[in-house]
Amino acid sequence: MSSRGSTPALLALALGYFTLGTTSLAVVGLSAPMGEGLDVAPARIGLQVTVFALTFAVAAPLAPMALGRMGRKQVLLLGMALLTAGSVAAALAPGYVFLTGARVVAALGAAVFGPASSAAGSLIVPEERRQQALAVVFGGMTAASVLGVPLASFLGDVLGWRQALIGVAVLSGAALVGVAVLMPGLDPGPRPTPAAYRGVLATPGALSTVGTTLLFMAAQFTVYGIAGAYVADRFDASSGYVTATLLAFGIVGVLGNGLAGRATRAIGTTRTVSLTVAGVAVAFAALLVVPDAAIGGLLLFALWAFFSQLYQAPQQARLVALLPEQRGLLLALNASALYLGMSFGSFIGSTGLPAWGSGILPAAGLGLLLFAGATHCLSVRKAGTVPRPVPVSS
């Protein structure tokens, strides 16, 4: 497929990732009306994020083995169908237990679609455009933090939480149609087996690269997982300023994700990952000492977002380069680590904020970032080479 011809397909995959990200986190903004509607405490609705994340983390590495005989396009369609069905079921849930089951179905769809979409996106473009393609696909996840979650919260306030979840399901259905119409057929590739997993994990640099993703995401979600409460407490911010800070985080994050391809062409994938870990660490260190003025929090969240969103595309490209013939399996492991990190970091943040206070909470994230930096250095040494910048296509 030509570079120009691949763009609509990449955008369809990005829309799928957008609905994936919105589905996974929308309940955070809907916890109050959902709790009232289902007659449970809002905090119990928050546990639905953990249900989704843990289901995704377990299912993502298993999906390539279970679906190895299916073509890549068929895998993508199955994932989006399950995600859509889970969203519809959640919107119609008569009770909390039914809601939990619906979230499991949606998470299974996400676990099928997410890694497969990254692998497919890297296959339908020339090698020199791989980082750009991965940035476009994963940009849907970034956009979900800017538009998806706030939009779901707004619709929940105006129309009701069930209507908001139906809206998410409609977007999932649109992504399903887009993938069906715009994605080319792709061969399944080698079917993963338990032995293939062992071989992948034994590949020099693979385990430490995936471990870097887990630690990097866990570090950020120590604060981002409870970002609204953190900003309000740390900077004595009004609800309007909290919203502005989170919106700034999302908008600047989209900018960072969009520049990931240029960064990797300029300095290489490995150095780009090093830069992003260091940049987020600087932002977290500054959160420990910045004065309580709300504008300081907004600026530091924007700095954090920029470096944070430089990470995913070059890290996924490094994994593809490690073992191209098993890219789907490696990307599934990386996606699993991403959601495990989100779950672990959110747990630290939700328990640490009341126990330690907002002033010291970023220290936990900073400690995890230092471990992430060390693991990244280990992955480079294990892999044996530092990837060179990708040449610009003519």
Side-chain angles (χ1 to χ4, degrees):
M1 180 178 286
S2 68
S3 297
R4 180 175 298 178
S6 65
T7 299
L10 291 174
L11 292 176
L13 295 176
L15 178 60
Y17 240 125
F18 177 83
T19 60
L20 188 163
T22 302
T23 302
S24 66
L25 297 173
V27 295
V28 173
L30 297 171
S31 58
M34 289 181 73
E36 182 179 353
L38 298 174
D39 196 25
V40 297
R44 290 192 66 195
I45 299 297
L47 288 175
Q48 294 297 322
V49 176
T50 302
V51 168
F52 191 102
L54 291 180
T55 302
F56 187 107
V58 172
L62 299 178
M65 284 198 296
L67 305 174
R69 296 186 185 278
M70 294 179 65
R72 296 182 191 270
K73 181 174 180 177
Q74 285 67 40
V75 170
L76 292 169
L77 293 174
L78 174 62
M80 286 310 306
L82 287 171
L83 188 63
T84 303
S87 296
V88 172
L92 301 176
Y96 188 81
V97 174
F98 191 97
L99 174 67
T100 301
R103 293 284 290 175
V104 169
V105 172
L108 289 173
V112 171
F113 178 84
S117 65
S118 294
S122 72
L123 284 168
I124 63 175
V125 296
E127 183 176 352
E128 65 271 14
R129 288 193 65 229
R130 183 181 295 158
Q131 285 87 358
Q132 289 174 287
L134 289 170
V136 170
V137 173
F138 200 82
M141 185 73 168
T142 306
S145 67
V146 184
L147 297 174
V149 176
L151 181 60
S153 179
F154 172 76
L155 290 177
D157 289 338
V158 175
L159 301 176
W161 66 271
R162 294 186 187 276
Q163 289 77 8
L165 293 185
I166 286 292
V168 175
V170 169
L171 284 177
S172 296
L176 174 64
V177 173
V179 171
V181 173
L182 299 172
M183 275 296 297
L186 296 170
D187 292 335
R191 184 182 185 184
T193 63
Y197 270 101
R198 290 193 295 270
V200 165
L201 291 175
T203 301
L207 187 58
S208 49
T209 302
V210 171
T212 302
T213 294
L214 191 154
L215 291 166
F216 184 70
M217 295 305 297
Q220 295 184 83
F221 268 76
T222 59
V223 175
Y224 189 74
I226 39 86
Y230 170 83
V231 172
D233 186 72
R234 174 68 170 83
F235 299 102
D236 193 24
S238 65
S239 60
Y241 225 107
V242 169
T243 300
T245 300
L246 296 178
L247 187 60
F249 184 98
I251 293 172
V252 177
V254 170
L255 175 63
N257 183 75
L259 292 176
R262 293 186 181 183
T264 54
R265 289 196 302 275
I267 62 176
T269 54
T270 297
R271 293 185 180 90
T272 302
V273 172
S274 300
L275 176 65
T276 191
V277 174
V280 175
V282 168
F284 269 56
L287 284 172
L288 290 170
V289 298
V290 69
D292 293 342
I295 186 63
L298 188 149
L299 293 175
L300 286 178
F301 264 63
L303 176 69
W304 164 15
F306 177 80
F307 285 106
S308 169
Q309 297 305 320
L310 285 174
Y311 177 84
Q312 292 297 339
Q315 187 73 332
Q316 291 184 16
R318 292 183 71 228
L319 287 165
V320 170
L322 274 178
L323 212 59
E325 66 277 11
Q326 292 286 9
R327 69 183 70 197
L329 193 155
L330 263 177
L331 289 169
L333 287 172
N334 190 64
S336 178
L338 186 150
Y339 271 85
L340 275 177
M342 288 169 58
S343 181
F344 179 52
S346 295
F347 175 77
I348 293 175
S350 61
T351 56
L353 182 62
W356 311 324
S358 58
I360 198 65
L361 185 62
L366 184 59
L368 288 169
L369 283 167
L370 294 176
F371 279 112
T375 307
H376 173 58
C377 292
L378 178 63
S379 75
V380 175
R381 183 162 61 86
K382 288 281 189 181
T385 59
V386 176
R388 300 297 179 185
V390 178
V392 179
S393 58
S394 58

